[in-house]
């Protein structure tokens, strides 16, 4: 549900002569697909923000690494706010993403769920460094992102409960009537729970 493992394609498109495109924006669609159409920092999906356009972020900032500006293997998908807040912060001049305390987790090389936990309220919690640095720098727990992550959890729980109720309803005709009479109020309460979850999502 959160921060799925993502992988880069084996090769990005090139011009007919085999060279890279001169502008990194040419890789938007491929990078968006590789990132599963979600911000690799706050995990918001494009569909969860009404199709709001995402940015291509230079994981290693182009101000520090100009040679990587048009390298698609240095591009990730980020929502505009995360991209703006990350800006050109970078911990190490040699390209290392972390200095042991501060820095960034490369979402294509490591699984972000090894660094972040998401609580019931949609808050990201740090499991290990440098995730707290990322939470603070990019305000990953800003209200809109907490709400979106919580709503995603509530919808998933509502659909799971709906499937469970639906499966049980399909067996009611084969049960004794006294057992059905016992189960009907329980199923009714479960439907009320689904309605409440969806209202809060």
């Amino acid at each position: 549900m959160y921060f799925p493992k993502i992988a880069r394609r084996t090769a990005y498109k090139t011009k007919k002569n085999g060279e890279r495109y001169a502008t990194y924006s040419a890789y938007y669609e491929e990078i968006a697909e590789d990132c599963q159409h979600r911000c690799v920092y706050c995990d918001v999906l494009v569909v969860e923000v009404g199709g709001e356009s995402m940015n291509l972020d230079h994981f290693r900032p182009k101000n520090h690494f100009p040679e990587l500006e048009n390298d698609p293997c240095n591009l990730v998908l980020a929502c505009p706010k995360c991209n703006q807040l990350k800006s050109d912060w970078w911990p190490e001049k040699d390209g290392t993403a972390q200095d042991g305390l501060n820095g960034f987790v490369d979402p294509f090389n490591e699984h972000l769920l090894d660094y972040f936990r998401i609580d019931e309220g949609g808050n990201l919690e740090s499991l290990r460094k440098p995730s707290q640095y990322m939470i603070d720098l990019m305000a990953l727990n800003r209200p809109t992102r907490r709400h979106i992550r919580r709503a995603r959890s509530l919808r998933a729980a509502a659909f799971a409960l709906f499937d469970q109720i639906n499966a049980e309803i399909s067996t009611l005709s084969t049960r004794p009537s006294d057992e059905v009479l016992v189960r009907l109020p329980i199923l009714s309460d479960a439907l009320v729970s689904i309605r409440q979850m969806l209202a809060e999502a």
Side-chain angles (χ1 to χ4, degrees):
M1 182 186 321
Y2 300 108
F3 294 117
K5 288 186 177 180
I6 57 176
R8 290 197 184 277
R9 60 196 62 213
T10 54
Y12 289 98
K13 67 182 179 182
T14 58
K15 294 188 285 187
K16 289 182 180 179
N17 61 7
E19 293 179 358
R20 286 183 185 149
Y21 285 87
T23 55
Y24 63 86
S25 59
Y27 298 104
Y28 181 89
E29 291 302 326
E30 290 176 302
I31 299 299
E33 274 184 27
D34 288 355
C35 293
Q36 298 185 26
H37 301 281
R38 64 203 314 139
C39 173
V40 299
Y41 303 118
C42 70
D43 198 47
V44 68
L45 292 158
V46 173
V47 296
E48 290 174 326
V49 287
E52 167 189 307
S53 63
M54 294 280 193
N55 295 157
L56 288 180
D57 173 56
H58 292 84
F59 183 69
R60 287 173 175 77
K62 59 187 177 182
N63 287 355
H64 298 293
F65 306 96
E67 71 280 7
L68 298 178
E69 180 174 359
N70 296 316
D71 183 348
C73 291
N74 185 47
L75 298 173
V76 296
L77 199 67
C79 70
K81 189 68 173 178
C82 283
N83 190 31
Q84 176 191 20
L85 292 170
K86 179 175 174 277
S87 186
D88 60 357
W89 290 99
W90 195 254
E92 298 291 319
K93 293 180 181 178
D94 65 357
T96 305
Q98 308 176 28
D99 64 8
L101 178 64
N102 301 322
F104 304 93
V105 179
D106 186 335
F108 284 106
N109 291 331
E110 300 187 73
H111 192 191
L112 288 165
L113 285 181
D114 292 334
Y115 290 83
F116 296 102
R117 178 186 170 276
I118 298 91
D119 71 15
E120 290 181 359
N123 287 293
L124 290 183
E125 297 176 348
S126 173
L127 295 177
R128 53 193 273 216
K129 296 171 182 176
S131 57
Q132 190 60 53
Y133 172 85
M134 294 172 64
I135 290 170
D136 295 340
L137 178 70
M138 291 182 279
L140 298 181
N141 283 325
R142 54 194 184 270
T144 58
R145 294 319 185 235
R146 283 199 322 266
H147 173 77
I148 286 170
R149 290 188 292 261
R150 180 173 179 273
R152 191 188 303 171
S153 290
L154 287 169
R155 284 193 303 272
F159 284 125
L161 185 55
F162 175 85
D163 290 341
Q164 183 181 338
I165 293 169
N166 195 41
E168 183 166 349
I169 287 173
S170 68
T171 68
L172 287 180
S173 63
T174 63
R175 296 185 184 185
S177 58
D178 57 336
E179 187 178 328
V180 171
L181 289 174
V182 169
R183 293 300 300 165
L184 282 176
I186 296 170
L187 293 175
S188 178
D189 288 345
L191 288 172
V192 170
S193 295
I194 290 175
R195 181 183 176 88
Q196 185 175 351
M197 287 178 196
L198 293 175
E200 293 177 15

